[in-house]
Amino acid sequence: MVSVPTGYRLAKILALGQMACIFVLLGSVFAAGPATGYELSIYDAYPVYFWAALIVSILLGLLLILWSGTRADEMTWYWLFGLVPLLVTYVIFLGLPAIRGYVLYGRGNNDVLSHIGWSRTIVESGHLAANDFYPVVHILVSVLDYIGISLEQAVLFLAIFFSLAFIMFMLFLARTVSPCKGPLFFILAFSVPLLLSYFHESIHPSILSIFLIPLLLGCYHKKNLSNSLVAFTFLALLLTLLLVFFHPVTALIALIIFTVFGLTGILAQRFADRGSLTPEPDVRYFILAIVLGLFTWLNPFEGLDWKLKAVLEGLFGESSGMASYYGGLAGQANLSLTGIARIALAQYGQLVLYFLAAYAALALVFGFFLKGKARRFEAYYAVQVIAATAFAVAMVVGYFIEFEPLRVSRYAVVVIPVLCGYTFYHKYRVIDRPAVQKIFFGAVVVLLVLASIFAVFNVYFSPNIVKANAQLTAAELDGVTWFLTSADVQTPLLTTDLPLGRYEMYYFGYGMPTYFNRPQLDRYIPSHFGYDTNRTLAISLDTDRTLYMMTTETNRHAHLAFPESVRPQVHQYLAPDFVRLSRDPGLDKTYANGEFETWYLYPVPKDLNAA
């Protein structure tokens, strides 16, 4: 009788547990069916056991991957039992907008509409639009449309594909830098949580491009560790140039990474006696390729002076940075420190945990360094984490074009898993007491599961992170389409949450003959449409012009995404307000489909307010 290794039995049990969770997820999504209209949060659409099964599936996958790292000699391929079901779990989770029947996950204030517009121009004209800043992304979307995947479907497809590809690229990088299989699995485990939360759900060139960095770094390291020097050098240089046309700021991050590698190599020569610190190979060709690529990218574009001005003001001027902006918002909201901390943790908890883990790993590396036991890639990626932290802090304090904490942390998202996975495995192996080893292993599992939980409940907008669902419903799209094709193009538009310019790009394509940038009135519609102080909206707006106005189902619910203490300070449009809107003598309803309305507003006599 053939004996079955104990490791195989446990791997099989954990994998079967993941499969059971996947069946629960599939049963739940089929039972819930598609959405029937706008919903404030996709998380409320599914029962608690759905989310429990999702977390348990991630937990089991992480356990199996990490456990494989601790028994790498015995469990040569059992880790796949954990990784494959985990990827399937992510496909289901990230595919929820399509399962719910959302037309698009991205409303008028979302860049995704603009990206579809640029892609539509390629589809309909056969060439790139003038001043297309991110041609690689738009070409990818248009190619998918050509093979039968609609532009809207292509957005979600690319988001899911690149999110999963990032994990596989990190696996490739881990295989390249790991001297044995153990660190490989720890690095892979640290690459699993969806650290960039809601950026995993749509196409953002800055995020899709950062997902390619592990592939670039893997090729860069591989060219020096294999016999295929020419092939991997060519591939690495090709990826370097590709990054420039994916997103120039990501190319700048790659430039920083190679510069840091070069400088760290100089230091490695100085401290060669502190461990296996060999100099990093020549990075000059990669730096030169990025610099030339950036100049090539900048050359054809007009109107970049405002971006360069923003950078200079961020360096030397008095422009307010991200920290000042968010601090101002917190002050306006009049939230307590506890309330601010709760919201910040809900939105960025996974990053907080990873930065804390990274600096714990830095302390370990420093300890290994003092003992003369520092390993090459530990040291190199320790310096990368310090550089990534400096990059993020500079972006937060100053204003350097990008204005979102998750985006400016993307450099760290690539290098922290390598440092933490490599260093924590090293620490695990040098612990000589089995009980302490188990505690350390359990702490790593808890860290990764907590980060995964924060990330999972951050991918979609919800009241938990003080953001209303970004779902675009079919009825809203039908209403906007009617307006774009039927309304008078000279009459200005007044809107609550649907900036029309992006919808025009989305519908017509940028620069196409049918594209027309309609006039929009640059002012907010007052809360309750102003009926708490005036009888008509026209008097509240103090306008003597004829206007169009759009209202949506979102207007009725968006305020519920804010904490109750903040709601009086945000714009609210309640059911009684819409009743008064329908009776306003200065308004005519020109279109309605149950979730979207268009109104025609015309001036009324001032004395009507007293009538």
Side-chain angles (χ1 to χ4, degrees):
M1 181 176 179
V2 179
S3 62
V4 180
T6 304
Y8 175 79
R9 290 195 187 96
L10 184 56
K12 188 175 179 180
I13 292 171
L14 293 176
L16 288 174
Q18 279 186 285
M19 294 304 298
C21 290
I22 289 172
F23 281 118
V24 171
L25 296 177
L26 291 173
S28 298
V29 296
F30 283 117
T36 56
Y38 180 78
E39 50 193 17
L40 187 64
S41 168
I42 200 171
Y43 296 106
D44 295 333
Y46 297 101
V48 173
Y49 63 79
F50 173 90
W51 304 108
L54 181 73
I55 298 302
V56 170
S57 179
I58 296 172
L59 165 64
L60 295 178
L62 287 170
L63 273 174
L64 190 43
I65 293 170
L66 286 170
W67 188 53
S68 298
T70 65
R71 305 180 67 173
D73 294 335
E74 173 189 341
M75 302 176 63
T76 55
W77 53 271
Y78 297 163
W79 58 276
L80 283 171
F81 287 167
L83 180 61
V84 173
L86 195 150
L87 295 179
V88 173
T89 299
Y90 275 165
V91 169
I92 296 171
F93 174 59
L94 295 176
L96 288 181
I99 295 170
R100 293 296 290 163
Y102 294 0
V103 174
L104 195 65
Y105 192 75
R107 300 178 59 76
N109 56 354
N110 195 303
D111 287 346
V112 65
L113 295 174
S114 299
H115 292 306
I116 292 179
W118 293 102
S119 304
R120 194 181 300 281
T121 299
I122 299 174
V123 170
E124 297 188 2
S125 69
H127 59 76
L128 291 168
N131 292 340
D132 189 335
F133 287 91
Y134 313 112
V136 174
V137 173
H138 303 147
I139 290 171
L140 283 175
V141 174
S142 60
V143 168
L144 290 174
D145 180 83
Y146 179 77
I147 63 175
I149 301 174
S150 71
L151 295 175
E152 294 80 8
Q153 293 170 336
V155 168
L156 184 60
F157 175 86
L158 285 176
I160 296 174
F161 175 81
F162 273 85
S163 295
L164 302 185
F166 172 73
I167 297 174
M168 303 310 296
F169 293 157
M170 287 298 298
L171 175 61
F172 171 63
L173 174 58
R175 289 179 65 90
T176 304
V177 301
S178 300
C180 59
K181 292 179 180 178
L184 184 158
F185 297 124
F186 272 59
I187 294 172
L188 176 61
F190 272 90
S191 306
V192 164
L194 301 172
L195 296 178
L196 294 171
S197 58
Y198 48 81
F199 284 110
H200 289 276
E201 200 42 60
S202 191
I203 54 170
H204 299 270
S206 62
I207 304 303
L208 298 187
S209 56
I210 205 67
F211 290 159
L212 294 175
I213 291 287
L215 179 61
L216 169 62
L217 294 180
C219 291
Y220 167 70
H221 295 308
K222 191 78 171 177
K223 76 181 183 64
N224 307 299
L225 300 173
S226 72
N227 297 324
S228 304
L229 173 63
V230 175
F232 281 107
T233 300
F234 174 77
L235 184 56
L237 286 171
L238 182 64
L239 285 168
T240 300
L241 291 172
L242 185 66
L243 281 179
V244 174
F245 298 95
F246 233 119
H247 198 280
V249 177
T250 303
L252 179 62
I253 291 173
L255 179 64
I256 296 172
I257 288 174
F258 286 120
T259 302
V260 171
F261 274 144
L263 295 175
T264 310
I266 296 173
L267 291 174
Q269 293 177 324
R270 170 68 178 80
F271 297 103
D273 60 332
R274 294 292 184 175
S276 51
L277 301 180
T278 56
E280 191 66 7
D282 198 344
V283 297
R284 288 176 296 178
Y285 297 113
F286 296 94
I287 292 175
L288 180 61
I290 295 171
V291 171
L292 291 177
L294 285 171
F295 275 108
T296 303
W297 180 87
L298 287 168
N299 184 52
F301 296 122
E302 300 175 0
L304 287 173
D305 55 330
W306 68 271
K307 290 190 175 183
L308 297 176
K309 182 179 178 182
V311 173
L312 292 175
E313 287 183 351
L315 285 170
F316 308 111
E318 298 180 356
S319 60
S320 61
M322 197 188 309
S324 176
Y325 171 76
Y326 283 105
L329 285 182
Q332 293 175 22
N334 197 27
L335 288 169
S336 65
L337 289 177
T338 304
I340 294 172
R342 191 206 69 78
I343 294 172
L345 196 60
Q347 293 189 357
Y348 309 114
Q350 68 277 14
L351 291 180
V352 172
L353 289 173
Y354 263 56
F355 273 105
L356 290 174
Y359 277 86
L362 279 173
L364 291 174
V365 171
F366 186 67
F368 295 145
F369 176 79
L370 293 178
K371 296 175 182 178
K373 297 181 179 180
R375 288 167 168 78
R376 172 186 171 189
F377 287 112
E378 279 179 339
Y380 275 90
Y381 278 89
V383 180
Q384 289 290 351
V385 166
I386 294 172
T389 304
F391 177 84
V393 170
M395 287 286 196
V396 169
V397 174
Y399 174 46
F400 302 98
I401 302 173
E402 296 192 341
F403 211 73
E404 213 293 328
L406 289 168
R407 289 177 64 177
V408 303
S409 301
R410 65 188 189 275
Y411 177 1
V413 165
V414 173
V415 296
I416 287 177
V418 179
L419 174 65
C420 288
Y422 208 114
T423 305
F424 289 165
Y425 174 79
H426 187 185
K427 178 63 178 176
Y428 176 84
R429 298 306 300 179
V430 299
I431 296 174
D432 54 6
R433 296 171 59 188
V436 178
Q437 261 194 339
K438 291 179 181 178
I439 293 173
F440 184 81
F441 180 85
V444 172
V445 172
V446 170
L447 168 71
L448 292 176
V449 171
L450 285 177
S452 298
I453 292 172
F454 276 118
V456 161
F457 291 103
N458 214 334
V459 167
Y460 300 105
F461 288 0
S462 72
N464 179 58
I465 59 172
V466 198
K467 296 177 185 288
N469 193 359
Q471 167 198 7
L472 179 67
T473 69
E476 287 176 338
L477 185 57
D478 288 344
V480 174
T481 301
W482 176 89
F483 183 83
L484 292 175
T485 56
S486 303
D488 174 36
V489 297
Q490 300 300 330
T491 303
L493 172 69
L494 186 67
T495 180
T496 50
D497 71 325
L498 297 173
L500 194 65
R502 293 184 184 272
Y503 282 96
E504 289 176 315
M505 276 193 68
Y506 161 80
Y507 187 78
F508 296 114
Y510 181 79
M512 299 300 290
T514 51
Y515 176 74
F516 181 81
N517 194 10
R518 294 166 180 265
Q520 254 184 280
L521 201 62
D522 187 20
R523 68 174 68 178
Y524 284 106
I525 300 174
S527 283
H528 309 293
F529 301 109
Y531 293 131
D532 48 352
T533 56
N534 294 294
R535 184 182 175 191
T536 69
L537 178 58
I539 292 176
S540 295
L541 294 171
D542 192 23
T543 181
D544 56 1
R545 308 174 64 182
T546 57
L547 303 169
Y548 281 115
M549 182 178 73
M550 291 180 181
T551 56
T552 68
E553 190 68 17
T554 311
N555 302 145
R556 297 169 169 85
H557 302 285
H559 67 281
L560 297 174
F562 294 86
E564 289 189 23
S565 61
V566 179
R567 289 176 192 171
Q569 302 176 53
V570 301
H571 291 281
Q572 297 187 42
Y573 311 98
L574 308 179
D577 302 325
F578 279 90
V579 173
R580 296 190 68 176
L581 194 69
S582 64
R583 298 172 181 172
D584 191 320
L587 285 172
D588 286 331
K589 186 185 292 185
T590 57
Y591 177 89
N593 63 16
E595 295 181 31
F596 177 98
E597 303 87 26
T598 300
W599 310 79
Y600 190 77
L601 181 148
Y602 47 88
V604 297
K606 299 288 186 182
D607 57 3
L608 184 62
N609 205 40

Tab-separated table of all heavy atoms in Angstrom, residues 198 321-332 340 347-348 396 403-406 467:
chain	number	residue	atom	x	y	z
A	198	TYR	N	-10.035	49.800	-4.300
A	198	TYR	CA	-10.963	50.064	-5.403
A	198	TYR	C	-10.274	50.298	-6.737
A	198	TYR	O	-10.941	50.342	-7.777
A	198	TYR	CB	-11.904	51.225	-5.073
A	198	TYR	CG	-11.257	52.470	-4.518
A	198	TYR	CD1	-10.644	53.396	-5.339
A	198	TYR	CD2	-11.302	52.729	-3.149
A	198	TYR	CE1	-10.076	54.538	-4.817
A	198	TYR	CE2	-10.727	53.869	-2.620
A	198	TYR	CZ	-10.117	54.775	-3.456
A	198	TYR	OH	-9.555	55.913	-2.937
A	321	GLY	N	-0.878	70.537	-0.337
A	321	GLY	CA	-0.677	69.153	-0.693
A	321	GLY	C	-1.842	68.289	-0.262
A	321	GLY	O	-2.860	68.759	0.253
A	322	MET	N	-1.663	66.993	-0.472
A	322	MET	CA	-2.712	66.042	-0.149
A	322	MET	C	-3.042	66.053	1.336
A	322	MET	O	-4.212	65.998	1.727
A	322	MET	CB	-2.262	64.656	-0.601
A	322	MET	CG	-3.373	63.635	-0.722
A	322	MET	SD	-2.707	61.974	-1.022
A	322	MET	CE	-1.607	62.281	-2.410
A	323	ALA	N	-2.019	66.119	2.173
A	323	ALA	CA	-2.245	66.104	3.615
A	323	ALA	C	-3.070	67.313	4.045
A	323	ALA	O	-4.000	67.193	4.856
A	323	ALA	CB	-0.905	66.081	4.352
A	324	SER	N	-2.730	68.481	3.491
A	324	SER	CA	-3.473	69.694	3.825
A	324	SER	C	-4.919	69.601	3.359
A	324	SER	O	-5.842	69.994	4.075
A	324	SER	CB	-2.789	70.901	3.191
A	324	SER	OG	-3.535	72.079	3.421
A	325	TYR	N	-5.110	69.029	2.160
A	325	TYR	CA	-6.466	68.910	1.598
A	325	TYR	C	-7.344	68.006	2.456
A	325	TYR	O	-8.457	68.374	2.844
A	325	TYR	CB	-6.374	68.369	0.174
A	325	TYR	CG	-7.714	68.000	-0.430
A	325	TYR	CD1	-8.585	68.981	-0.885
A	325	TYR	CD2	-8.101	66.663	-0.537
A	325	TYR	CE1	-9.817	68.634	-1.439
A	325	TYR	CE2	-9.322	66.317	-1.088
A	325	TYR	CZ	-10.174	67.310	-1.537
A	325	TYR	OH	-11.383	66.965	-2.068
A	326	TYR	N	-6.838	66.810	2.772
A	326	TYR	CA	-7.637	65.876	3.565
A	326	TYR	C	-7.812	66.363	5.005
A	326	TYR	O	-8.838	66.113	5.632
A	326	TYR	CB	-7.010	64.485	3.539
A	326	TYR	CG	-7.261	63.741	2.240
A	326	TYR	CD1	-6.258	63.592	1.290
A	326	TYR	CD2	-8.511	63.217	1.960
A	326	TYR	CE1	-6.489	62.935	0.095
A	326	TYR	CE2	-8.762	62.554	0.771
A	326	TYR	CZ	-7.743	62.412	-0.163
A	326	TYR	OH	-7.975	61.764	-1.344
A	327	GLY	N	-6.799	67.064	5.505
A	327	GLY	CA	-6.957	67.659	6.831
A	327	GLY	C	-8.057	68.703	6.844
A	327	GLY	O	-8.825	68.793	7.802
A	328	GLY	N	-8.134	69.476	5.769
A	328	GLY	CA	-9.205	70.463	5.661
A	328	GLY	C	-10.576	69.826	5.600
A	328	GLY	O	-11.525	70.308	6.216
A	329	LEU	N	-10.687	68.725	4.845
A	329	LEU	CA	-11.973	68.011	4.771
A	329	LEU	C	-12.395	67.502	6.143
A	329	LEU	O	-13.570	67.600	6.527
A	329	LEU	CB	-11.871	66.842	3.792
A	329	LEU	CG	-11.868	67.153	2.298
A	329	LEU	CD1	-11.816	65.867	1.501
A	329	LEU	CD2	-13.094	67.968	1.903
A	330	ALA	N	-11.434	66.940	6.885
A	330	ALA	CA	-11.749	66.429	8.219
A	330	ALA	C	-12.204	67.561	9.130
A	330	ALA	O	-13.124	67.388	9.947
A	330	ALA	CB	-10.527	65.723	8.811
A	331	GLY	N	-11.567	68.729	8.983
A	331	GLY	CA	-11.968	69.872	9.798
A	331	GLY	C	-13.360	70.343	9.457
A	331	GLY	O	-14.164	70.665	10.349
A	332	GLN	N	-13.702	70.380	8.159
A	332	GLN	CA	-15.040	70.797	7.755
A	332	GLN	C	-16.101	69.826	8.242
A	332	GLN	O	-17.218	70.232	8.584
A	332	GLN	CB	-15.110	70.903	6.227
A	332	GLN	CG	-14.255	72.018	5.636
A	332	GLN	CD	-14.262	71.989	4.121
A	332	GLN	OE1	-15.161	71.444	3.497
A	332	GLN	NE2	-13.225	72.561	3.518
A	340	ILE	N	-12.234	60.222	12.655
A	340	ILE	CA	-11.242	60.349	11.586
A	340	ILE	C	-10.396	59.086	11.489
A	340	ILE	O	-10.135	58.571	10.393
A	340	ILE	CB	-10.349	61.582	11.834
A	340	ILE	CG1	-11.174	62.867	11.734
A	340	ILE	CG2	-9.188	61.617	10.849
A	340	ILE	CD1	-10.424	64.110	12.151
A	347	GLN	N	-10.359	52.953	5.093
A	347	GLN	CA	-9.937	53.193	3.718
A	347	GLN	C	-8.519	52.709	3.435
A	347	GLN	O	-8.218	52.276	2.321
A	347	GLN	CB	-10.046	54.687	3.386
A	347	GLN	CG	-11.468	55.204	3.363
A	347	GLN	CD	-11.567	56.620	2.825
A	347	GLN	OE1	-10.572	57.256	2.511
A	347	GLN	NE2	-12.771	57.131	2.708
A	348	TYR	N	-7.650	52.790	4.437
A	348	TYR	CA	-6.238	52.509	4.187
A	348	TYR	C	-5.640	51.520	5.187
A	348	TYR	O	-4.419	51.436	5.327
A	348	TYR	CB	-5.431	53.817	4.228
A	348	TYR	CG	-6.015	54.896	3.363
A	348	TYR	CD1	-6.537	56.061	3.922
A	348	TYR	CD2	-6.072	54.746	1.980
A	348	TYR	CE1	-7.090	57.052	3.132
A	348	TYR	CE2	-6.626	55.734	1.180
A	348	TYR	CZ	-7.135	56.886	1.761
A	348	TYR	OH	-7.686	57.854	0.970
A	396	VAL	N	2.391	63.003	-0.594
A	396	VAL	CA	1.346	63.392	0.344
A	396	VAL	C	1.537	64.826	0.822
A	396	VAL	O	0.581	65.604	0.913
A	396	VAL	CB	1.311	62.420	1.549
A	396	VAL	CG1	0.428	62.957	2.658
A	396	VAL	CG2	0.819	61.043	1.109
A	403	PHE	N	-3.031	62.756	-6.702
A	403	PHE	CA	-3.665	63.293	-5.502
A	403	PHE	C	-4.538	62.244	-4.836
A	403	PHE	O	-5.706	62.475	-4.550
A	403	PHE	CB	-4.512	64.518	-5.904
A	403	PHE	CG	-4.606	65.568	-4.825
A	403	PHE	CD1	-3.520	66.365	-4.531
A	403	PHE	CD2	-5.776	65.751	-4.110
A	403	PHE	CE1	-3.600	67.336	-3.547
A	403	PHE	CE2	-5.875	66.716	-3.125
A	403	PHE	CZ	-4.789	67.510	-2.844
A	404	GLU	N	-3.971	61.060	-4.612
A	404	GLU	CA	-4.737	59.972	-4.008
A	404	GLU	C	-3.778	59.089	-3.220
A	404	GLU	O	-2.779	58.615	-3.763
A	404	GLU	CB	-5.440	59.155	-5.098
A	404	GLU	CG	-6.779	58.567	-4.690
A	404	GLU	CD	-6.646	57.487	-3.620
A	404	GLU	OE1	-5.615	56.781	-3.635
A	404	GLU	OE2	-7.555	57.345	-2.810
A	405	PRO	N	-4.017	58.859	-1.914
A	405	PRO	CA	-3.070	58.101	-1.091
A	405	PRO	C	-2.756	56.708	-1.614
A	405	PRO	O	-1.607	56.245	-1.514
A	405	PRO	CB	-3.775	58.031	0.274
A	405	PRO	CG	-4.657	59.235	0.304
A	405	PRO	CD	-5.124	59.422	-1.110
A	406	LEU	N	-3.745	56.009	-2.170
A	406	LEU	CA	-3.487	54.665	-2.673
A	406	LEU	C	-2.555	54.699	-3.876
A	406	LEU	O	-1.652	53.873	-4.008
A	406	LEU	CB	-4.802	53.982	-3.048
A	406	LEU	CG	-5.710	53.587	-1.880
A	406	LEU	CD1	-7.082	53.193	-2.387
A	406	LEU	CD2	-5.098	52.453	-1.078
A	467	LYS	N	-18.141	56.401	0.922
A	467	LYS	CA	-18.258	56.615	-0.518
A	467	LYS	C	-19.484	55.865	-1.018
A	467	LYS	O	-19.654	54.681	-0.715
A	467	LYS	CB	-17.018	56.118	-1.264
A	467	LYS	CG	-15.720	56.866	-0.932
A	467	LYS	CD	-14.546	56.241	-1.662
A	467	LYS	CE	-13.223	56.879	-1.265
A	467	LYS	NZ	-13.082	58.230	-1.813
